[in-house]
Amino acid sequence: MIERLITVRRILTGSAADALPERLGETLAKEYALTGTEVLLVDYRLAALLPVSGGEPVTGAGEPPWHCFDHQSEVIDGTDLYLPVTARGERIGVLCCSPAPHDIDVRGELAEVATLLAHELQAAAAGSDRYRIAARTRRLTLAAEMQWELLPGRSRSRPTYSLAGQLEPSYSVHGDSFDWAEHEDRLYLSVLNGMGEGVSASMLTALATYALRNARRAGIPLADQTALADQALFAEYRGARHVSALMLEVNLADGELTVIDAGSPRMLLLRDGTVDDLALEAQFPLGMFEGSDYVAQTFPLRPADRLVIVSDGVADAAAAAGRYGDAALMRFVRRTQVMAPLQAVRSLLGDLRSFLGSGEIDDDAVAVCLDWTGAV
């Protein structure tokens, strides 16, 4: 087992960035006598699994590859074995191997291979456009390209928390975004909504994101991080443009949540089957005024708490039947309690698209889901 995995790792790490699927297929054929392998990547909208080598997308929610992706477990369908391609909770896609080995230990080795592949795909993305191109069903707008490049990922899972976020309309989003990072037993999360349309909104949100990252990496408290980002935006736009934002810091040792609401997106707490709005003190959006001061609030999180953050593009989305509205939002958040965070945001925005029917979302919609599982 160890020798084969070492061989696979050596081949993957030594492969050209754009040749990982082919080199992996050759190696698995030699080491595991597989006759076929295929890498499927999840698309930007979380609606299709797309073969890297080309072919028909898998879009049916009940199909074996989607069952593997959603449940993050192996699935055997006839002679095919499907394995999740996931790195630190970032769900990238699915690896299909055939014929499916009968030996459970061999399938366990191939599951390790799928994880190795996930890490290599993340590394390879810095030097190749192949996988970004393969993961889209149509062209992204320039603003959307900028927003997706800005994200830290789409999902993450650690012993103390699970986290996921999604943007909609995925192929033409402009002002909404999110960011996160973990450092020294702290999880930092921001959800942002830059005013405006198109590239100008994307550039505004990018400046806010980088300003918050720069302040965060200086090791200063959350309120000071927010104030520095506010100053950076005001210096550039002199109050003509602003960013509504929600900044969170979670102490991973005890679950204490620190929050600053700067004209923020909505934050809901799902606890013991009940959904409530957290009582946040509304403060000025970033960049609106010169020298704004920000005050942090703290809340204790309990194990199994879920936070769902949505921009105003969710509840305010309108169709012929009316607004999606608060009641539908809270009802659907309650229904997500049995879902993993990525499934939750995918399902929430999918429900929003179903409500709109053939219509398009008038405003960007961002959804972020954070599960606090408890201190280790």
Side-chain angles (χ1 to χ4, degrees):
M1 171 182 176
I2 295 177
E3 291 78 8
R4 287 195 293 198
L5 288 175
I6 290 174
T7 298
V8 173
R9 182 189 293 272
R10 177 174 53 80
I11 295 298
L12 288 176
T13 57
S15 171
D18 62 351
L20 288 173
E22 290 74 24
R23 295 304 308 277
L24 177 65
E26 295 166 3
T27 306
L28 295 186
K30 180 179 179 180
E31 299 293 332
Y32 293 90
L34 298 182
T35 58
T37 61
E38 181 62 83
V39 179
L40 298 92
L41 302 179
V42 68
D43 88 310
Y44 286 79
R45 205 180 199 188
L46 293 173
L49 289 167
L50 305 169
V52 172
S53 58
E56 291 299 313
V58 181
T59 57
E63 296 190 57
W66 272 113
H67 187 88
C68 171
F69 183 87
D70 285 336
H71 295 276
Q72 291 293 285
S73 60
E74 73 165 37
V75 172
I76 298 177
D77 180 51
T79 61
D80 294 331
L81 169 67
Y82 295 97
L83 297 163
V85 178
T86 301
R88 295 187 179 91
E90 178 68 19
R91 300 188 186 188
I92 298 170
V94 171
L95 174 64
C96 177
C97 303
S98 59
H102 296 292
D103 190 327
I104 190 173
D105 292 330
V106 175
R107 297 203 304 273
E109 288 184 43
L110 291 172
E112 295 265 2
V113 168
T115 300
L116 290 174
L117 174 63
H119 287 276
E120 289 304 316
L121 286 171
Q122 286 184 324
S128 173
D129 284 338
R130 180 183 184 186
Y131 310 108
R132 289 187 175 90
I133 293 171
R136 57 188 69 181
T137 59
R138 61 182 185 271
R139 183 175 179 178
L140 273 70
T141 64
L142 175 56
E145 191 86 53
M146 294 168 66
Q147 287 302 84
W148 283 105
E149 290 292 309
L150 191 64
L151 297 183
R154 189 153 48 185
S155 55
R156 185 165 177 80
S157 181
R158 308 302 295 157
T160 52
Y161 70 89
S162 293
L163 175 63
Q166 176 65 6
L167 307 179
E168 186 67 29
S170 304
Y171 288 85
S172 57
V173 68
H174 37 81
D176 282 14
S177 189
F178 54 85
D179 191 35
W180 62 62
E182 182 182 336
H183 180 63
E184 292 185 345
D185 290 328
R186 295 287 194 277
L187 170 66
Y188 299 92
L189 168 64
S190 57
V191 182
L192 306 101
N193 182 0
M195 68 177 292
E197 302 290 334
V199 171
S200 62
S202 184
M203 292 175 65
L204 176 65
T205 300
L207 177 58
T209 300
Y210 284 118
L212 286 168
R213 287 175 180 173
N214 179 256
R216 183 184 73 223
R217 292 163 184 169
I220 59 179
L222 190 65
D224 294 335
Q225 295 175 30
T226 307
L228 285 177
D230 171 70
Q231 292 169 22
L233 288 173
F234 188 84
E236 184 66 25
Y237 294 100
R238 308 307 298 176
R241 301 177 69 79
H242 62 266
V243 174
S244 298
L246 184 68
M247 278 68 62
L248 285 72
E249 176 184 329
V250 181
N251 185 330
L252 299 178
D254 60 14
E256 182 181 71
L257 172 68
T258 303
V259 184
I260 294 177
D261 174 358
S264 78
R266 182 101 167 263
M267 182 159 67
L268 304 174
L269 171 65
L270 174 59
R271 173 180 286 170
D272 298 330
T274 301
V275 182
D276 293 300
D277 277 292
L278 272 183
L280 301 179
E281 179 184 345
Q283 302 177 65
F284 291 128
L286 304 180
M288 181 172 281
F289 299 107
E290 185 173 15
S292 297
D293 291 323
Y294 294 92
V295 178
Q297 296 173 264
T298 59
F299 302 88
L301 291 179
R302 302 176 188 169
D305 276 356
R306 166 167 287 182
L307 297 173
V308 177
I309 305 164
V310 296
S311 62
D312 54 11
V314 177
D316 291 344
R323 291 173 63 250
Y324 186 72
D326 293 344
L329 173 61
M330 298 187 112
R331 181 170 61 250
F332 201 87
V333 167
R334 189 178 302 110
R335 287 171 54 189
T336 70
Q337 60 187 325
V338 297
M339 304 177 188
L342 189 63
Q343 290 173 281
V345 296
R346 174 187 169 204
S347 298
L348 173 59
L349 294 178
D351 188 65
L352 180 62
R353 289 196 299 268
S354 296
F355 170 79
L356 294 173
S358 59
E360 287 291 335
I361 296 176
D362 293 329
D363 192 10
D364 283 0
V366 62
V368 175
C369 180
L370 170 63
D371 284 355
W372 168 250
T373 52
V376 175

